[in-house]
Amino acid sequence: MKKLIFTILLFAFLTSFVNGQRKTVHIPDIPGYVTLKCDFHMHTVFSDGDVWPTVRIDEALRDGLDAIAITDHLEYTPKKDFLPVDFNAAWKIGELYAKERNLILVHGTEITRKMPPGHFNALFITDASLIAKDSAWDAFEAAAKQGAFLQWNHPGWKSQQPDGIPRMYDIHKKLIKNGWLHGIEFFNDSEFYPLVFNFCKEYNLALMGNSDVHGTISEIYTEPEYTNRPMTLVFAKERNHDSLKEAMFAGRTLVYFRDKLAGKEEYAKPFFYQCISVGKTYYQDNKNLYFEVTNNSDIPFYLINGVANAPASLTLSANSVTRIVVSKKVTAPLNYDVKNVMTGENEVLRVELRY
Amino acid sequence: MKKLIFTILLFAFLTSFVNGQRKTVHIPDIPGYVTLKCDFHMHTVFSDGDVWPTVRIDEALRDGLDAIAITDHLEYTPKKDFLPVDFNAAWKIGELYAKERNLILVHGTEITRKMPPGHFNALFITDASLIAKDSAWDAFEAAAKQGAFLQWNHPGWKSQQPDGIPRMYDIHKKLIKNGWLHGIEFFNDSEFYPLVFNFCKEYNLALMGNSDVHGTISEIYTEPEYTNRPMTLVFAKERNHDSLKEAMFAGRTLVYFRDKLAGKEEYAKPFFYQCISVGKTYYQDNKNLYFEVTNNSDIPFYLINGVANAPASLTLSANSVTRIVVSKKVTAPLNYDVKNVMTGENEVLRVELRY
Amino acid sequence: MKKLIFTILLFAFLTSFVNGQRKTVHIPDIPGYVTLKCDFHMHTVFSDGDVWPTVRIDEALRDGLDAIAITDHLEYTPKKDFLPVDFNAAWKIGELYAKERNLILVHGTEITRKMPPGHFNALFITDASLIAKDSAWDAFEAAAKQGAFLQWNHPGWKSQQPDGIPRMYDIHKKLIKNGWLHGIEFFNDSEFYPLVFNFCKEYNLALMGNSDVHGTISEIYTEPEYTNRPMTLVFAKERNHDSLKEAMFAGRTLVYFRDKLAGKEEYAKPFFYQCISVGKTYYQDNKNLYFEVTNNSDIPFYLINGVANAPASLTLSANSVTRIVVSKKVTAPLNYDVKNVMTGENEVLRVELRY
Amino acid sequence: MKKLIFTILLFAFLTSFVNGQRKTVHIPDIPGYVTLKCDFHMHTVFSDGDVWPTVRIDEALRDGLDAIAITDHLEYTPKKDFLPVDFNAAWKIGELYAKERNLILVHGTEITRKMPPGHFNALFITDASLIAKDSAWDAFEAAAKQGAFLQWNHPGWKSQQPDGIPRMYDIHKKLIKNGWLHGIEFFNDSEFYPLVFNFCKEYNLALMGNSDVHGTISEIYTEPEYTNRPMTLVFAKERNHDSLKEAMFAGRTLVYFRDKLAGKEEYAKPFFYQCISVGKTYYQDNKNLYFEVTNNSDIPFYLINGVANAPASLTLSANSVTRIVVSKKVTAPLNYDVKNVMTGENEVLRVELRY
């Protein structure tokens, strides 16, 4: 009898997510570091994007990110008939707005050239307008002067490499030699470039993963089972701007999109073991042991190539507990390849489930 | 064989949730106890339900439950032309199946009478067939002999109380006097009965919340933002059958459905504080302090009746971080009523956010 | 290049909706007219909105609309530090873009004043800059000179009417007397104002329903079972700009949002009968006749107050076939009130199911 | 002010789909025939399924089907310790239940043997118990005596053909020679077998597509953008049991699952043209013509291999209008291959868009 009233009142609150809230993304820290969820490539009306800079900040909060960079093009400003060119506009508009919302906003811009050298984001800069130069090399030099973290964007983008194969040209090697290049995009939007692994390993660069969003995130990334958009996971000493910067120059990143992770084994391995916990045997019969593996992260893991008498493959779905039945005959360590955690152009992570 | 390889491979990964996995429900433990997520009221083809008993176990795993009871009616077996009556059938079929899957299956049955006395579940029994008696009282006595936890089901069900108001008749008082009644359903399916609070407080009984499912859970509870079905949260010393039983007889329960929690303040309060954490001030300006409140649970909390100069109301959405802006003028404790956590027929939980 | 072929191929097909496509909204025409689905109230970065004008056109296509008006504020331009004021900017940017996509773009603007008179959209104008006047009355006059359809926006908006009650002031009556006012919003965003029915009936004005969107449609209207956003259904002789204009000045509208329709009975009734068809008796037994009612529209209908021996209420869900079982004793016409089709402040549509 | 009441009342009706309603599946008829949406392969608790037979009927209504057959195994009855074997139980339970709900229930059973010959459904039978024979051939003969439509189930099922390749053995050829075999499953659950095309063409058999569901449909087919489960589309003269039977023996079928259609060109071609309509040119500029293609069905069509100067590929999403921009230089017919409409083992449908 009281029931109806209560029901009615509650409906006023039905909205499941309130504007300005940050969603909890279940991505663990690793020992010694906090894991910052970041997207360092996006556009607004100040270049060829569709939205005002504050939208990028609201989207990032909704997606549970810790840090973003808005990186409008220096050389492509198609809205200039209606909107005067101001290369620092997004930064000016967003700086306080982000601060009040506990989002780390990184000052950035995109140097936008034909291949070679292609497109590059300069991050942690102080004034984008000083990087707008006629020659690409002068732009790189200006970015370097500002202490920028320079990221080579989508090196295998088909508009610039029709066969989709990233190639290192002399100018890239010269950038590396000068110490001016620090990371390369492995994920960009819905694409990824396995060869980037080789470049990053050879030259000790950070793998990067970003959305490069021009429209609105919620219309592009619509699969409910995944966190929206590609992201760079940065392993920082603390959750703040300067720690983020230090971690990126140190190359402590993994990249993540949908159900795929990629990065150096030294980060991928502890990350996997923070996501996963193996329980004790809860039941046994004559032939088998039964135990559970809990995946506390939003990322599913697909384990393949199991040892004899154990399950050949296992899907450890996101946020779930998987029952494992192992024959008592198994004596070998329960090793698996994690099919969706890449640690090299042709390598995936090898793990052990210790039960 | 022509079936394209890529199609086959993709299908293997498309399923976001694998059969037999338990979903992680983000519902915290409270100090001293583990929180067991339970549903003690459901039917199968062995009375008037639609599914085989193993389906109830699979559904419970998928919903992340820890314990269930299958409680087919003793007095209503409409399928008997095709299916011989066996009051223990669901138990026999489910016992090992549940054990192998690490789900606690409680042996139960439903005593199904006109009001008064109405419907009752006998839980933790040893043989349902011995409880099938002509008189209701004999059935209660037989249940008591087996040491049953007796639960009064949906006391305000409109088929038995057309005005929806639960009433205690003499037989209920006699059951209580004998120590044979231990809990009353507050939530049943999509209904709830606030008056049950008064009965439970006066007679020291456990609040119960159950689905009473006859069809399939996934077709009934379809709102993606909520955990499926009503449940009883039981605060047990350990996650096993006997600890569950001890906790229930001790009345350590909260009940949960959609975005509503109900129960005694002594459990509701520590439960709330385990769900919520308040962060440090991350920013301030001349007028305001900015801090965040994290809700790590799947349950949203609607805070109302805030103090002067603080937000009048706050929605702490499930699995999210909410930004709070509080005037520097506020000196009083940041108290709120939690609108959706009932602690009595007309009471809600009062909490403080300590920032 | 290592990017596995199957991944690439699948991505091409995964998207269930391709950019630039118009969704089919199942809303029928009525005899003599085509039903145009319209939204005449929305904002862009050129006033206080978040997006570029082309986004409004893309959103309208995705929502299956036939016509929109972008109506940036004349008197509120908070982005002017970065974006020079140009009251016709959205029109200039959108005109060709809409034409190429077969969307009818109506040139509009919003006259934005305190109450009285409140906010007004001038639609079918030729130059918004000429309507930017110091006095509200001069603005109305300038709009009238351009032959504008003038719509009074959200007359019960709580920021301007704290009790939520729309009131007609002298200036509104003067507008009506001059023949300068043509419609009033009944739906605006998530609000609606039943009193508007009385104003529209007394003064022969069109009921209007619009989104007044500032952010992005897909983030605001997230319920999958409904068409996004409030809309005005206009009954036009043809699907083109001039027919739309003629129909609006003639007041041939219904308004629609979620599961609610409102408007004059002369349009609501034929509209209902175009949505619904009643099948022949497909089965009968001694007592009952069985037939089906098909609802071919995206709008559910809730029928109540049925006659004796027939179902008291019926839910004709959107895009579904509902089985009706009627006693052979029923001889009266099968009349119902359609609870969610309002035809007056306190009236709903009365219909008959002819089986 | 009136608003609140209205909102509150409506919430009582929120459920978007009422039990017993049939969903409208947007699948068109073809000239001369009505298209019946059917699933001729499913199980209940009377063999190795999980649900009571009425659940299969309720599921079919919810999925908008016109006809189903429940086909419990004759030779596999694992629940017989609790449930006495009755090969006609599902038919007895479902016959009236289906009739009252306007669903065509086909009496069927599954002959369940090792390969060869494998599994077969006998449909349109009169008594399943008479088909339970020791030898497979006797079972076929008994089915033939009842005038059964015999369907060879999942001929490439890996449990019976580890390489997934369907093979015709002597017994299959003998069945065909006797005129006892009438159809072969192309789709079964999530599998499909392209070679079946060759068998069906050579021997003039019907392509069949069915779910073979054992659990519950809503837990297996969870992709919101597709109609649940595989189905056989049967082109019947009328919507009734006997017309359905006539059409099946005449082989007038297409099979449909997710975004794939398969079948003989004589049915696939008119079906495609009933789904699609091409509009008139609504705009042109110096270079291009603009027109729209409407897809009124729930099935997307992926068009590839376009002619020069026209779009190379087009996705005609389900229930949507797609804008086509064609160069004025195009003079050839606008032909495309429809990638997801198979008309042979290695053939897809070739169509023309006539604008």
Side-chain angles (χ1 to χ4, degrees), chain A residues 140-174:
Chain A
F140 294 138
E141 185 165 24
K145 263 190 200 157
Q146 296 185 23
F149 178 101
L150 194 71
Q151 162 192 286
W152 183 11
N153 300 339
H154 47 71
W157 185 35
K158 291 207 170 148
S159 300
Q160 296 197 324
Q161 294 288 20
D163 60 4
I165 302 181
R167 284 178 186 75
M168 268 224 178
Y169 295 86
D170 285 349
I171 189 166
H172 301 112
K173 292 183 180 157
K174 202 170 147 200

Side-chain angles (χ1 to χ4, degrees), chain B residues 258-278:
Chain B
R258 297 177 82 255
D259 55 2
K260 292 186 200 67
L261 264 176
K264 295 176 187 155
E265 193 188 7
E266 66 185 292
Y267 305 118
K269 184 165 268 185
F271 185 82
F272 175 84
Y273 288 118
Q274 290 300 115
C275 292
I276 294 298
S277 64
V278 183

Side-chain angles (χ1 to χ4, degrees), chain B residues 26-193:
Chain B
H26 294 103
I27 283 188
D29 294 333
I30 63 171
Y33 299 109
V34 295
T35 303
L36 303 186
K37 299 164 288 290
C38 310
D39 181 0
F40 298 115
H41 194 166
M42 56 188 70
H43 298 275
T44 74
V45 291
F46 289 97
S47 60
D48 57 344
D50 285 337
V51 304
W52 198 249
T54 51
V55 171
R56 296 293 174 229
I57 293 167
D58 291 337
E59 288 177 334
L61 293 170
R62 197 164 41 230
D63 287 357
L65 297 188
D66 297 290
I68 63 168
I70 300 178
T71 55
D72 280 310
H73 299 288
L74 290 176
E75 297 86 353
Y76 185 55
T77 50
K79 294 177 167 67
K80 61 175 172 284
D81 288 352
F82 292 94
L83 195 65
V85 169
D86 177 347
F87 296 126
N88 293 305
W91 172 255
K92 292 176 199 166
I93 291 166
E95 188 181 9
L96 179 62
Y97 191 85
K99 199 167 281 180
E100 290 177 348
R101 284 157 182 80
N102 205 16
L103 183 84
I104 301 169
L105 183 65
V106 172
H107 195 166
T109 194
E110 183 165 12
I111 300 163
T112 312
R113 306 286 168 147
K114 287 186 192 162
M115 180 72 75
H119 295 195
F120 291 78
N121 281 356
L123 306 173
F124 302 104
I125 61 173
T126 53
D127 186 345
S129 68
L130 300 179
I131 305 174
K133 299 283 185 187
D134 286 344
S135 96
W137 190 257
D138 288 351
F140 294 139
E141 186 167 19
K145 264 191 200 153
Q146 296 185 23
F149 178 101
L150 193 71
Q151 162 191 286
W152 183 10
N153 299 339
H154 46 70
W157 185 35
K158 289 203 172 149
S159 299
Q160 297 198 324
Q161 295 287 20
D163 59 4
I165 302 181
R167 283 176 187 80
M168 266 222 180
Y169 295 86
D170 285 348
I171 190 168
H172 301 112
K173 291 182 182 158
K174 201 172 146 199
L175 277 173
I176 291 167
K177 201 174 152 195
N178 279 23
W180 292 356
L181 184 68
H182 309 94
I184 313 181
E185 281 187 343
F186 177 87
F187 284 118
N188 175 285
D189 192 356
S190 61
E191 301 199 335
F192 70 100
Y193 316 102

